Amino acid sequence: MYIYFEEDGAFKAGTVLSQAGSAYQVELTTGRRTKIKASHVFFSFESPSAAELIAAIPAAAEELDPAFLWEAAPADEFTFLELAAEYWGEGASPVEKAALLTTLHANPVYFYRKGRGAYRKAPADILAKALEALERKRRQEEQKKAWTKEMVEGRLPEPIARQALMLLIAPDRNSIEWKAFSDAAAEARLTPLRLMLQLGGIASPWRWHVDSFYAMNFPRGRGFPDNLPKPPANDWSELPLADVEAFSIDDSETTEIDDAASVVHLDGGVTRVGIHIAAPALMITRGSPLDEVAKTRMSTVYAPGLKTTMLPEDWIKAASLDEGVTVPCLSLYAWVKDDTYAVEKTETRLERIALKANLRYDKIDALVTEEAIQNQTLDIPFAHEICWLWHFAKVLQHGREEVRGRPEPVGRVDWFFALEGEGENAVIRVKGRRRGAPLDLLVAELMIFANSTWGLWLEEHDTPGIYRSQRMGRVRMSTSPGPHDGLGVLRYAWSTSPLRRYVDLVNQRQMITALRGEPPAYARNDVDLFTIVSSFENIYSLYGDFQTRMERYWSLRWILQEGLKEIEAIVVKGDLVRIDGLPFMQRVPGLPEDLERGRKVRLRILGCDLVDLVMDAQLIGVLDESLSPGEESGLEEELAEAAAEAESEDAVKAEAHEEAHEEAHEAPASSAS
């Protein structure tokens, strides 16, 4: 005798070996023996054999139409045997019974299971909706397969093309578009990004790097809302006018001019140095519509050929320290002894300033050399003031170096790109600015001096602020004052770039309220202040990563543009090298482990991947040439930056001169100052 039964949720048939009470000892068609309770048995039969029954069920079930069975089934609950008798009569064969049971069980849309072998047909209205959903799912599956086939064959379906970017950065993994695209990528053995590039959904690697960044970080677009108010029509005549002839030093492309300097020689061998910072905090109140936008952006975004400002152009123009325009500013004055360049006292003022001149790095940098300063042969506007400030800056730097316990690295060149043309087809020119050059040193030290002085000033006036500190090599931003070991200063609060960084704008608000004797804009326990710190660090790090990524892109594009087959590199540590003359570092597997830091090597370029932004290279040979001791010390900074990037730290600011460079100026479409 054979029985048809259920075991572990599956229907099976077997030969009865013995029966003891309500249990059977059964041998399955696989040869395995098992014990089956009588309550799990659907029916017994003498023929065909168990194996023949199992083999015949699929074909018999194929002939049964679940829709017709639903029509024939009783309105109330029924068993499969009752429906079999209704369908075939009392003489239904074992194969027919098993096929009917299989069909009922396999169609839960038509039949609800109410127990072992018992069912109830679905209500007509619910069945209609379920069948509609099944049909929709069937059509979607057919559509998915068709789209997948198209993409594998090299054609991009229009519905997927419309979602090309979002399918890569924020896909709805339950959507038919994503499923088809994912299946096509798997079948083509390509990553989704490379498949989309191959199909033309993303026009090029450059478009991917740029568009993906802005889609993720500026989901409403790079522009500003149309309903933002215009800058106030205030002449700020209530503020005193600074009696100075101030000048700024920036690149020609710079539009956000937020710092300037002045030099006034006084009686008694004392010179008054003025550091003048644009004051947008006077115009942008906390919680205003523009403030909310700026707080969302947190900073201006810089990358080669790209710039997205924190503030709208008309607001920048209203506050920027442009030549010949009178605007409000926050000024730090320092009285400095002419013989020692020692600072006797400082004073902070809220005032107006009429800037005398906007000097431009790219027009005067080559002329401002140490030799010209020492020999007093510098022939540019404000030559005397620049020479005097350079001597002052050297003393400031020396003082910081004594606190740091080590000198600032010199000789490192910051490479950047000047792009001629728009977008990815621009012609690339590589330019460099040597750290420690007179103008770089002058502006950097003045900004460090202002930020460190104002950091102490906020603390002395019991006014909360946002500080940057560094202890044990770790840079952190917080509302708690602390020393910055890397810079060699007691306190450091970013305050000199309020047109470009939200933290600076916040600190400026705090200083203005203190100067006016008003309650601070942000109290010490203000939750918003802590939120700003956290948000700024995260967003600023993302912007920095984007700048680095685009510098790597343009480095590789320059190599391709120049058709280089070989290139020189400098060993940073182990197999990590910096390509000579480019802002590009990467590892070169197979580099000898015993190469000392600063050693130059020659590499053969095997390929440039503009998607993953890596250069495939192999070692040709080790050169006899090495970096000078001063240049080699700069590699320590690069190594610290690379290590901190890997740990998602804001490492570009971890060393003193890098922070100084950040504060100093905006390099042409490259520096994230």
Side-chain angles (χ1 to χ4, degrees):
M1 182 177 70
Y2 309 103
I3 58 174
Y4 194 63
F5 59 92
E6 183 177 10
E7 183 186 46
D8 297 330
F11 296 161
K12 300 177 182 179
T15 304
V16 175
L17 300 177
S18 63
Q19 181 178 5
S22 60
Y24 294 91
Q25 184 72 23
V26 178
E27 183 179 309
L28 303 180
T29 56
T30 61
R32 179 174 67 87
R33 295 188 176 188
T34 184
K35 188 176 182 180
I36 301 298
K37 293 181 180 179
S39 59
H40 290 197
V41 176
F42 295 118
F43 60 87
S44 60
F45 57 98
E46 296 296 334
S47 66
S49 68
E52 290 171 336
L53 177 83
I54 294 297
I57 289 174
E62 186 71 24
E63 296 178 1
L64 297 176
D65 180 3
F68 182 78
L69 291 175
W70 184 87
E71 293 285 351
D76 298 326
E77 187 176 316
F78 62 90
T79 67
F80 78 98
L81 292 174
E82 291 170 341
L83 184 58
E86 182 72 23
Y87 194 83
W88 286 290
E90 294 298 329
S93 70
V95 171
E96 290 170 336
K97 293 176 185 178
L100 177 61
L101 182 58
T102 298
T103 302
L104 294 173
H105 192 73
N107 288 276
V109 170
Y110 287 92
F111 304 101
Y112 301 156
R113 191 177 186 186
K114 309 303 290 184
R116 187 167 283 110
Y119 295 87
R120 187 185 188 107
K121 69 179 185 179
D125 57 338
I126 296 177
L127 175 62
K129 292 179 180 178
L131 290 176
E132 183 180 338
L134 282 177
E135 176 61 19
R136 185 166 58 251
K137 185 176 181 181
R138 183 193 65 78
R139 290 196 301 268
Q140 286 181 342
E141 184 64 22
E142 288 181 354
Q143 181 66 81
K144 186 195 77 166
K145 290 179 179 179
W147 282 344
T148 299
K149 183 173 183 292
E150 276 191 74
M151 287 183 281
V152 170
E153 292 174 350
R155 301 185 305 278
L156 184 63
E158 196 275 334
I160 293 178
R162 285 199 307 267
Q163 303 180 40
L165 190 61
M166 297 310 295
L167 283 173
L168 293 170
I169 63 175
D172 175 2
R173 297 185 182 275
N174 292 318
S175 70
I176 179 176
E177 290 84 0
W178 166 254
K179 291 176 179 178
F181 181 58
S182 179
D183 288 352
E187 193 169 335
R189 296 185 179 180
L190 293 170
T191 65
L193 171 57
R194 291 189 183 274
L195 175 61
M196 192 64 80
L197 285 164
Q198 182 174 294
L199 294 172
I202 303 295
S204 65
W206 183 82
R207 286 251 63 99
W208 159 248
H209 296 305
V210 173
D211 293 348
S212 62
F213 168 79
Y214 280 103
M216 288 187 285
N217 295 284
F218 292 79
R220 297 182 181 178
R222 305 183 209 182
F224 291 89
D226 295 333
N227 59 352
L228 285 179
K230 296 298 180 183
N234 190 337
D235 61 4
W236 308 103
S237 57
E238 71 274 14
L239 299 177
L241 183 64
D243 184 18
V244 297
E245 291 193 352
F247 60 95
S248 66
I249 304 175
D250 294 275
D251 286 291
S252 293
E253 292 84 356
T254 301
T255 57
E256 302 150 289
I257 301 177
D258 43 21
D259 60 82
S262 65
V263 175
V264 177
H265 297 297
L266 307 175
D267 295 335
V270 174
T271 295
R272 190 188 69 192
V273 175
I275 301 172
H276 312 282
I277 306 300
L282 277 175
M283 310 175 190
I284 306 170
T285 57
R286 179 185 177 184
S288 65
L290 178 56
D291 182 54
E292 292 301 317
V293 171
K295 186 165 64 173
T296 300
R297 296 192 172 206
M298 283 293 176
S299 170
T300 291
V301 179
Y302 297 96
L306 297 168
K307 177 178 171 182
T308 304
T309 58
M310 181 180 76
L311 300 175
E313 183 178 346
D314 54 349
W315 284 83
I316 292 171
K317 189 172 182 60
S320 180
L321 304 183
D322 293 328
E323 182 178 315
V325 180
T326 302
V327 292
C329 72
L330 193 65
S331 296
L332 174 64
Y333 289 102
W335 281 258
V336 182
K337 297 187 68 173
D338 289 333
D339 54 350
T340 63
Y341 295 99
V343 177
E344 290 187 324
K345 66 174 183 176
T346 62
E347 182 182 336
T348 298
R349 298 177 186 173
L350 185 59
E351 56 189 8
R352 288 176 297 153
I353 189 170
L355 206 73
K356 190 71 173 179
N358 295 133
L359 305 184
R360 301 298 182 176
Y361 271 107
D362 44 310
K363 295 181 179 179
I364 65 172
D365 196 28
L367 303 174
V368 185
T369 63
E370 289 193 27
E371 292 76 15
I373 292 173
Q374 299 284 15
N375 299 332
Q376 298 183 355
T377 58
L378 185 61
D379 185 19
I380 61 171
F382 292 92
H384 170 75
E385 289 82 355
I386 287 174
C387 291
W388 196 95
L389 288 173
W390 180 79
H391 288 290
F392 178 49
K394 292 290 286 185
V395 172
L396 290 175
Q397 182 188 52
H398 180 68
R400 292 194 305 102
E401 289 175 338
E402 287 187 336
V403 176
R404 296 175 73 224
R406 64 187 186 279
E408 291 279 9
V410 294
R412 174 178 168 181
V413 177
D414 289 317
W415 300 102
F416 59 90
F417 298 100
L419 304 181
E420 300 173 5
E422 296 293 328
E424 61 190 295
N425 296 319
V427 177
I428 311 157
R429 301 283 181 260
V430 183
K431 296 185 177 181
R433 178 172 292 142
R434 187 171 296 277
R435 294 193 186 183
L439 285 180
D440 183 83
L441 173 69
L442 182 158
V443 179
E445 291 300 331
L446 289 183
M447 297 305 106
I448 293 175
F449 177 72
N451 287 323
S452 58
T453 301
W454 276 335
L456 286 167
W457 190 93
L458 284 167
E459 190 175 6
E460 290 165 358
H461 285 73
D462 196 28
T463 301
I466 299 176
Y467 295 85
R468 289 182 68 78
S469 60
Q470 183 189 22
R471 301 305 301 269
M472 306 297 290
R474 180 178 175 83
V475 178
R476 64 189 295 263
M477 183 173 282
S478 73
T479 58
S480 301
H484 196 303
D485 294 343
L487 287 173
V489 294
L490 290 175
R491 298 289 183 267
Y492 198 76
W494 268 348
S495 311
T496 55
S497 293
L499 293 174
R500 296 181 277 188
R501 280 193 305 241
Y502 192 72
V503 166
D504 302 56
L505 185 66
V506 168
N507 281 337
Q508 188 177 88
R509 279 193 187 123
Q510 298 295 80
M511 286 190 284
I512 289 174
T513 56
L515 283 170
R516 289 177 161 178
E518 300 171 351
Y522 303 86
R524 196 168 300 280
N525 59 349
D526 196 320
V527 174
D528 202 22
L529 201 59
F530 300 106
T531 302
I532 290 168
V533 170
S534 175
S535 297
F536 180 86
E537 287 199 296
N538 291 334
I539 294 174
Y540 201 63
S541 177
L542 289 172
Y543 292 178
D545 290 344
F546 174 61
Q547 179 182 332
T548 300
R549 191 160 73 246
M550 295 312 297
E551 286 175 345
R552 293 183 67 84
Y553 171 85
W554 288 110
S555 294
L556 295 174
R557 279 275 287 104
W558 181 81
I559 290 172
L560 294 173
Q561 171 187 287
E562 300 300 309
L564 299 183
K565 302 301 181 184
E566 298 179 2
I567 202 164
E568 291 185 4
I570 300 161
V571 175
V572 178
K573 183 179 180 181
D575 60 357
L576 181 66
V577 302
R578 171 168 59 80
I579 304 304
D580 200 10
L582 290 172
F584 189 96
M585 291 206 307
Q586 79 163 52
R587 299 192 179 278
V588 179
L591 217 60
E593 297 180 0
D594 58 349
L595 287 180
E596 68 272 19
R597 180 178 299 174
R599 174 66 64 184
K600 289 192 174 183
V601 297
R602 191 159 190 83
L603 304 175
R604 177 175 291 107
I605 300 171
L606 303 177
C608 294
D609 188 335
L610 298 178
V611 178
D612 292 334
L613 300 178
V614 295
M615 180 181 73
D616 188 13
Q618 64 179 197
L619 179 67
I620 295 176
V622 179
L623 305 180
D624 294 334
E625 186 180 356
S626 294
L627 295 180
S628 67
E631 291 174 321
E632 187 177 336
S633 65
L635 289 177
E636 297 181 8
E637 288 185 55
E638 295 184 82
L639 187 60
E641 291 167 19
E645 279 178 16
E647 298 169 5
S648 300
E649 291 292 333
D650 193 8
V652 178
K653 276 67 73 180
E655 285 292 333
H657 206 79
E658 185 64 43
E659 278 223 33
H661 186 69
E662 162 112 6
E663 293 297 343
H665 53 269
E666 170 194 337
S670 181
S671 174
S673 63

